[in-house]
Coordinates of all heavy atoms in Angstrom, one line a residue:
I334 N -11.1 -2.9 -14.1 CA -11.8 -2.8 -15.4 C -12.5 -4.2 -15.4 O -11.9 -5.2 -15.7 CB -10.8 -2.7 -16.5 CG1 -10.0 -1.4 -16.3 CG2 -11.5 -2.6 -17.9 CD1 -8.9 -1.2 -17.4
A335 N -13.9 -4.2 -15.2 CA -14.6 -5.4 -15.0 C -15.2 -5.9 -16.3 O -15.3 -5.3 -17.3 CB -15.7 -5.2 -13.9
S336 N -15.5 -7.2 -16.2 CA -16.2 -7.9 -17.3 C -17.6 -8.3 -16.8 O -17.9 -8.4 -15.6 CB -15.4 -9.2 -17.7 OG -16.2 -9.9 -18.6
S337 N -18.5 -8.5 -17.7 CA -19.9 -8.8 -17.3 C -20.1 -10.3 -16.9 O -21.2 -10.6 -16.4 CB -20.9 -8.5 -18.5 OG -20.5 -9.2 -19.6
S338 N -19.2 -11.1 -17.0 CA -19.4 -12.6 -16.8 C -18.6 -13.1 -15.6 O -18.3 -14.3 -15.5 CB -18.9 -13.4 -18.0 OG -17.6 -13.1 -18.3
L339 N -18.3 -12.2 -14.6 CA -17.5 -12.6 -13.5 C -18.3 -13.6 -12.6 O -17.7 -14.5 -12.0 CB -17.1 -11.4 -12.7 CG -16.2 -10.4 -13.4 CD1 -15.8 -9.3 -12.4 CD2 -14.9 -11.1 -13.8
A340 N -19.6 -13.4 -12.5 CA -20.4 -14.3 -11.5 C -20.4 -15.7 -12.0 O -20.5 -16.6 -11.2 CB -21.8 -13.7 -11.4
D341 N -20.2 -16.0 -13.3 CA -20.3 -17.3 -13.8 C -18.9 -18.0 -13.9 O -18.8 -19.1 -14.3 CB -21.0 -17.3 -15.2 CG -22.4 -16.8 -15.1 OD1 -23.0 -17.0 -14.1 OD2 -22.8 -16.2 -16.1
S342 N -17.9 -17.2 -13.7 CA -16.5 -17.7 -13.9 C -16.0 -18.5 -12.6 O -16.3 -18.2 -11.5 CB -15.5 -16.6 -14.1 OG -15.9 -15.8 -15.3
K343 N -15.3 -19.6 -12.9 CA -14.8 -20.4 -11.9 C -13.2 -20.4 -11.9 O -12.6 -20.4 -10.8 CB -15.2 -21.9 -12.0 CG -16.7 -22.1 -11.6 CD -17.0 -23.6 -11.6 CE -18.4 -23.9 -11.1 NZ -18.6 -25.3 -11.0
L344 N -12.7 -20.3 -13.1 CA -11.2 -20.4 -13.2 C -10.6 -19.1 -13.6 O -10.8 -18.7 -14.8 CB -10.8 -21.5 -14.2 CG -9.4 -21.8 -14.4 CD1 -8.6 -22.1 -13.1 CD2 -9.2 -22.9 -15.5
F345 N -10.0 -18.4 -12.7 CA -9.4 -17.1 -13.0 C -7.9 -17.3 -13.2 O -7.2 -17.9 -12.3 CB -9.6 -16.1 -11.8 CG -11.0 -15.7 -11.7 CD1 -11.9 -16.6 -11.0 CD2 -11.5 -14.6 -12.2 CE1 -13.2 -16.2 -10.8 CE2 -12.8 -14.2 -12.0 CZ -13.7 -15.0 -11.3
V346 N -7.4 -16.9 -14.4 CA -5.9 -17.1 -14.7 C -5.3 -15.7 -14.9 O -5.8 -14.9 -15.7 CB -5.8 -17.9 -16.0 CG1 -4.3 -18.0 -16.4 CG2 -6.4 -19.3 -15.8
C347 N -4.3 -15.4 -14.1 CA -3.7 -14.1 -14.2 C -2.2 -14.2 -14.2 O -1.6 -15.2 -13.9 CB -4.1 -13.3 -12.9 SG -3.6 -14.0 -11.4
N348 N -1.6 -13.1 -14.7 CA -0.1 -13.0 -14.6 C 0.2 -12.7 -13.2 O -0.6 -12.3 -12.3 CB 0.4 -11.9 -15.5 CG -0.2 -10.5 -15.2 OD1 -1.4 -10.4 -15.2 ND2 0.6 -9.5 -15.0
H349 N 1.5 -12.9 -12.8 CA 1.9 -12.9 -11.4 C 2.8 -11.7 -11.2 O 3.9 -11.6 -11.7 CB 2.7 -14.2 -11.1 CG 2.7 -14.5 -9.7 ND1 2.1 -13.8 -8.7 CD2 3.3 -15.5 -9.0 CE1 2.3 -14.3 -7.5 NE2 3.0 -15.4 -7.7
R350 N 2.3 -10.8 -10.3 CA 3.1 -9.6 -10.0 C 3.5 -9.6 -8.5 O 4.6 -9.0 -8.2 CB 2.2 -8.3 -10.2 CG 1.8 -8.1 -11.7 CD 2.9 -7.8 -12.6 NE 3.5 -6.5 -12.3 CZ 4.5 -5.9 -13.0 NH1 5.0 -6.6 -14.0 NH2 4.9 -4.7 -12.7
S351 N 2.7 -10.1 -7.6 CA 3.1 -10.1 -6.2 C 2.3 -11.2 -5.5 O 1.4 -11.8 -6.1 CB 3.0 -8.8 -5.6 OG 1.6 -8.5 -5.3
L352 N 2.6 -11.3 -4.2 CA 1.9 -12.3 -3.4 C 0.4 -11.9 -3.2 O -0.5 -12.8 -2.9 CB 2.5 -12.3 -2.0 CG 2.2 -13.5 -1.1 CD1 2.6 -14.8 -1.6 CD2 2.8 -13.2 0.3
L353 N 0.0 -10.7 -3.4 CA -1.4 -10.2 -3.2 C -2.3 -10.4 -4.5 O -3.4 -10.0 -4.5 CB -1.4 -8.7 -2.8 CG -0.7 -8.4 -1.5 CD1 -0.9 -6.9 -1.2 CD2 -1.1 -9.3 -0.4
D354 N -1.7 -11.0 -5.5 CA -2.5 -11.1 -6.8 C -3.9 -11.8 -6.5 O -4.9 -11.3 -6.9 CB -1.7 -11.9 -7.8 CG -0.5 -11.1 -8.3 OD1 -0.5 -9.8 -8.1 OD2 0.4 -11.6 -8.9
P355 N -3.9 -13.0 -5.9 CA -5.2 -13.7 -5.7 C -6.1 -12.9 -4.8 O -7.4 -12.9 -5.0 CB -4.8 -15.0 -5.0 CG -3.4 -15.2 -5.4 CD -2.8 -13.9 -5.4
L356 N -5.6 -12.1 -3.8 CA -6.4 -11.3 -3.0 C -7.1 -10.2 -3.8 O -8.3 -9.9 -3.6 CB -5.6 -10.7 -1.8 CG -4.9 -11.7 -0.9 CD1 -4.2 -11.0 0.2 CD2 -5.9 -12.8 -0.4
Y357 N -6.4 -9.5 -4.7 CA -7.0 -8.5 -5.5 C -8.0 -9.0 -6.4 O -9.0 -8.4 -6.7 CB -5.9 -7.7 -6.2 CG -5.3 -6.6 -5.5 CD1 -4.1 -6.7 -4.7 CD2 -5.9 -5.3 -5.5 CE1 -3.6 -5.6 -4.0 CE2 -5.4 -4.2 -4.9 CZ -4.2 -4.4 -4.1 OH -3.7 -3.3 -3.4
V358 N -7.7 -10.2 -7.0 CA -8.7 -10.8 -7.9 C -10.0 -11.2 -7.1 O -11.1 -10.9 -7.6 CB -8.1 -12.1 -8.6 CG1 -9.2 -12.8 -9.4 CG2 -6.9 -11.7 -9.5
S359 N -9.8 -11.7 -5.9 CA -11.0 -12.1 -5.1 C -11.8 -10.9 -4.7 O -13.0 -10.8 -4.8 CB -10.5 -12.9 -3.9 OG -11.6 -13.2 -3.1
G360 N -11.0 -9.8 -4.2 CA -11.7 -8.6 -3.7 C -12.4 -7.9 -4.8 O -13.6 -7.4 -4.6
T361 N -11.7 -7.7 -6.0 CA -12.4 -6.9 -7.0 C -13.5 -7.7 -7.7 O -14.4 -7.1 -8.3 CB -11.3 -6.5 -8.1 OG1 -10.6 -7.7 -8.6 CG2 -10.3 -5.5 -7.5
A362 N -13.4 -9.0 -7.7 CA -14.5 -9.8 -8.3 C -15.7 -10.0 -7.4 O -16.8 -10.4 -7.8 CB -14.0 -11.2 -8.8
G363 N -15.4 -9.6 -6.1 CA -16.5 -9.8 -5.1 C -16.8 -11.3 -4.8 O -18.0 -11.6 -4.5
R364 N -15.8 -12.1 -4.9 CA -16.0 -13.6 -4.7 C -15.3 -14.0 -3.5 O -14.0 -14.0 -3.4 CB -15.5 -14.3 -6.0 CG -16.2 -14.0 -7.3 CD -17.5 -14.8 -7.4 NE -17.2 -16.2 -7.4 CZ -16.9 -16.9 -8.5 NH1 -16.9 -16.3 -9.7 NH2 -16.7 -18.2 -8.5
T365 N -16.0 -14.5 -2.5 CA -15.4 -15.1 -1.3 C -15.1 -16.6 -1.4 O -14.5 -17.1 -0.5 CB -16.3 -14.8 -0.1 OG1 -17.6 -15.5 -0.3 CG2 -16.5 -13.3 0.1
D366 N -15.5 -17.2 -2.5 CA -15.3 -18.6 -2.6 C -14.1 -19.0 -3.4 O -13.8 -20.2 -3.6 CB -16.5 -19.3 -3.3 CG -16.7 -18.7 -4.7 OD1 -16.5 -17.5 -4.9 OD2 -17.0 -19.5 -5.7
L367 N -13.3 -18.0 -3.7 CA -12.1 -18.3 -4.5 C -10.9 -18.8 -3.6 O -10.8 -18.4 -2.5 CB -11.6 -17.0 -5.3 CG -12.6 -16.4 -6.3 CD1 -11.9 -15.2 -7.0 CD2 -12.9 -17.5 -7.3
A368 N -10.1 -19.7 -4.2 CA -9.0 -20.2 -3.5 C -7.8 -19.9 -4.4 O -7.9 -19.8 -5.7 CB -9.1 -21.7 -3.2
A369 N -6.6 -19.9 -3.9 CA -5.4 -19.6 -4.6 C -4.4 -20.8 -4.6 O -4.2 -21.4 -3.6 CB -4.6 -18.4 -4.0
A370 N -4.0 -21.2 -5.8 CA -3.0 -22.2 -5.9 C -1.6 -21.6 -5.8 O -1.3 -20.7 -6.6 CB -3.1 -22.9 -7.3
T371 N -0.8 -22.0 -4.9 CA 0.5 -21.3 -4.6 C 1.6 -22.3 -4.7 O 1.4 -23.5 -4.7 CB 0.4 -20.7 -3.1 OG1 0.4 -21.8 -2.2 CG2 -0.7 -19.8 -2.9

Side-chain angles (χ1 to χ4, degrees):
I334 305 175
S336 173
S337 58
S338 59
L339 295 182
D341 301 328
S342 301
K343 287 188 175 182
L344 181 58
F345 294 81
V346 176
C347 60
N348 59 306
H349 203 3
R350 300 293 290 183
S351 76
L352 193 66
L353 300 184
D354 293 344
L356 303 185
Y357 270 94
V358 173
S359 175
T361 54
R364 297 279 298 274
T365 59
D366 61 320
L367 296 184
T371 65

